[in-house]
Amino acid sequence: MVFQMSRLAARVSLSKSVGFISGTENRWPSHLNFISRLAHRSFHALCSEGRGSASIKALPSRGVLRKAGRWEKVSTASKSLHWQSGGAVKPLRSGMVVLGAVGVSAALLASLRTSTLHAMSARPGLNLDSENSDWKEAKNKLCSMDKEKRREMYRVDFIPLEKIPVWSPSGDSCKPQYQVNEELNKKISLFTGDITKLEIDSIANAANKTLLGGGGVDGAIHRGAGPLLKKECATLNSCETGEAKITGAYGLPAKYVIHTVGPIVHDSVGEREEQALRNCYYNCLHTATKNHLRTVAFPCISTGVYGYPPEQAVEVALRTVREYLEQNHEKLDRVIFCVFLKSDKELYETMLSAYFPRGSPPKSKL
Ligand code: APR
């Protein structure tokens, strides 16, 4: 299919470059225009790469082009074709040039990933890869889609909620700091991996004040979401440390991104930094429930570039989530702690048993 498209597109491109299809460009499906422009540019680029420049003045023979689903005869006046290579200008047998051009464009276009073509054809009027798209329109369309349709829009692989188990203690445990509450325990997960893949209501982003992207998890989220995320973020007028602001998630499997800015720790953690980190978790949870979102995942906020010691951050994260759930457990179905590093996984495995202790298994009666 790709080869057919590319050959057709190459012919379209050649035809268009010689003024061949007059007044029909606006009737071409936009993605076909895109492909034909690409073929056109790539052919000329290839020709001008030290292979001499090619100016195709006219197709020498009658061409037949597929247009919008029907075959149509298109005729052309025959004109000479000239291949300028270095200083020499030699008339070439036109058929050879056309075949060469089609071959070149086809080869280049055949390298277009099938998935790209598929994705383009699968996105009815919704291009999440282009910063020229209208973010509000895209956000509204995505919100109105059912899951199956939305899955065609994802720009990354996804992990459905049902594949994310509720946390259960596996290794060392800590002295419990709270009463056993099985209702709350059922709402907690520990996931090791990439937060951008989680197909849930919302993921928290460890952003910076500009909200315009960066490295770490912030960079991963923006890359996965695509350019429209930054466009929406730019309308939010930045974000203060400890605050939380919500946007669409665009090409991500999550429905929303809740951006928060963690504290930067230079030497040691003081009351100000601890309170700011607590505010991050609290405000993300509050933003989720205020928007009627039932699931939320957190990365280890501030523990990367911002330098918050992970063994101190984990206590702030777990305590804040525990206390929020005690007051609002009916508003949330799942809070997922998403760790990326093995060291964080081990830390959470140990500390979760202190903040979400399990009851001892019932003693067997035997
Ligand atoms: N999924 C989940 N967690 C991730 C991912 C990912 N794809 N990528 C990184 N992480 C983890 C890191 O391993 C770290 O544990 O996220 C945690 C937070 O690290 P940072 O992303 O560096 O965030 P932070 O420390 O809060 O610094 C924020 O860094 O990326 C910039 O723009 C961001 O300026 C801001 C600053």
Side-chain angles (χ1 to χ4, degrees):
M1 195 281 255
V2 173
F3 182 70
Q4 290 306 325
M5 288 270 285
S6 53
R7 206 167 54 163
L8 170 64
R11 294 175 71 179
V12 166
S13 159
L14 285 168
S15 316
K16 291 176 79 164
S17 66
V18 292
F20 199 58
I21 303 176
S22 54
T24 55
E25 279 78 0
N26 56 348
R27 282 164 43 198
W28 281 89
S30 58
H31 59 277
L32 204 47
N33 266 320
F34 162 73
I35 291 178
S36 68
R37 278 199 306 276
L38 182 71
H40 184 83
R41 277 203 299 272
S42 48
F43 172 66
H44 280 284
L46 200 73
C47 293
S48 57
E49 262 171 42
R51 294 181 178 76
S53 63
S55 63
I56 297 177
K57 291 190 172 49
L59 274 184
S61 61
R62 185 178 291 279
V64 176
L65 285 169
R66 177 176 179 169
K67 186 165 64 164
R70 56 192 167 82
W71 290 94
E72 177 169 71
K73 285 210 181 314
V74 181
S75 64
T76 174
S78 68
K79 292 175 188 151
S80 67
L81 280 163
H82 292 265
W83 175 276
Q84 286 121 9
S85 167
V89 177
K90 296 187 287 300
L92 281 170
R93 289 217 355 245
S94 52
M96 191 168 80
V97 172
V98 170
L99 282 178
V102 170
V104 163
S105 300
L108 284 164
L109 284 163
S111 64
L112 258 184
R113 281 177 348 141
T114 310
S115 56
T116 305
L117 289 175
H118 172 71
M120 283 164 57
S121 61
R123 289 182 193 150
L126 194 51
N127 183 353
L128 300 179
D129 305 320
S130 163
E131 60 187 9
N132 299 321
S133 300
D134 180 316
W135 67 265
K136 280 185 189 160
E137 183 190 347
K139 186 177 178 181
N140 291 336
K141 278 186 177 175
L142 287 166
C143 285
S144 64
M145 286 177 187
D146 62 29
K147 185 175 281 190
E148 282 324 302
K149 198 72 203 137
R150 261 185 57 75
R151 282 179 171 179
E152 292 173 25
M153 305 295 149
Y154 296 169
R155 298 172 85 246
V156 296
D157 300 336
F158 69 95
I159 299 168
L161 181 61
E162 50 271 21
K163 295 273 190 220
I164 303 169
V166 168
W167 179 72
S168 60
S170 56
D172 307 341
S173 60
C174 257
K175 180 172 169 300
Q177 299 200 24
Y178 289 86
Q179 294 288 331
V180 172
N181 181 330
E182 296 305 351
E183 274 312 299
L184 299 191
N185 292 346
K186 285 190 294 194
K187 295 178 186 283
I188 296 299
S189 291
L190 177 61
F191 172 82
T192 303
D194 184 350
I195 200 169
T196 65
K197 297 188 185 322
L198 301 184
E199 188 182 50
I200 56 177
D201 287 352
S202 57
I203 58 172
N205 177 24
N208 58 54
K209 289 185 175 182
T210 69
L211 294 185
L212 299 179
V217 68
D218 191 13
I221 287 173
H222 275 269
R223 278 191 303 277
L228 298 184
L229 177 61
K230 186 173 177 179
K231 280 185 84 172
E232 180 176 5
C233 285
T235 67
L236 298 178
N237 302 320
S238 75
C239 182
E240 285 309 313
T241 300
E243 276 185 18
K245 294 193 174 182
I246 191 169
T247 64
Y250 303 100
L252 291 175
K255 290 179 182 158
Y256 295 92
V257 180
I258 301 176
H259 307 263
T260 191
V261 180
I264 299 174
V265 175
H266 298 291
D267 307 316
S268 63
V269 175
E271 175 49 33
R272 201 165 73 105
E273 288 81 12
E274 186 176 325
Q275 183 57 54
L277 188 60
R278 193 177 303 123
N279 291 346
C280 286
Y281 284 92
Y282 179 87
N283 288 327
C284 284
L285 290 165
H286 180 61
T287 303
T289 54
K290 193 170 64 175
N291 287 277
H292 310 296
L293 306 179
R294 306 287 305 177
T295 51
V296 57
F298 287 103
C300 303
I301 300 168
S302 271
T303 63
V305 168
Y306 280 4
Y308 205 111
E311 62 283 356
Q312 291 177 264
V314 64
E315 302 240 26
V316 175
L318 293 178
R319 185 180 312 116
T320 310
V321 170
R322 170 81 199 210
E323 290 172 4
Y324 188 88
L325 283 177
E326 289 195 343
Q327 304 302 322
N328 305 278
H329 55 84
E330 75 291 350
K331 296 179 184 171
L332 285 166
D333 296 336
R334 196 80 69 85
V335 177
I336 300 165
F337 294 102
C338 178
V339 293
F340 205 55
L341 306 174
K342 185 169 178 292
S343 54
D344 285 329
K345 178 176 189 292
E346 289 159 359
L347 207 48
Y348 272 80
E349 284 286 4
T350 306
M351 298 310 293
L352 271 165
S353 57
Y355 289 88
F356 293 90
R358 277 355 188 215
S360 44
K363 290 197 176 28
S364 65
K365 296 204 175 23
L366 299 176

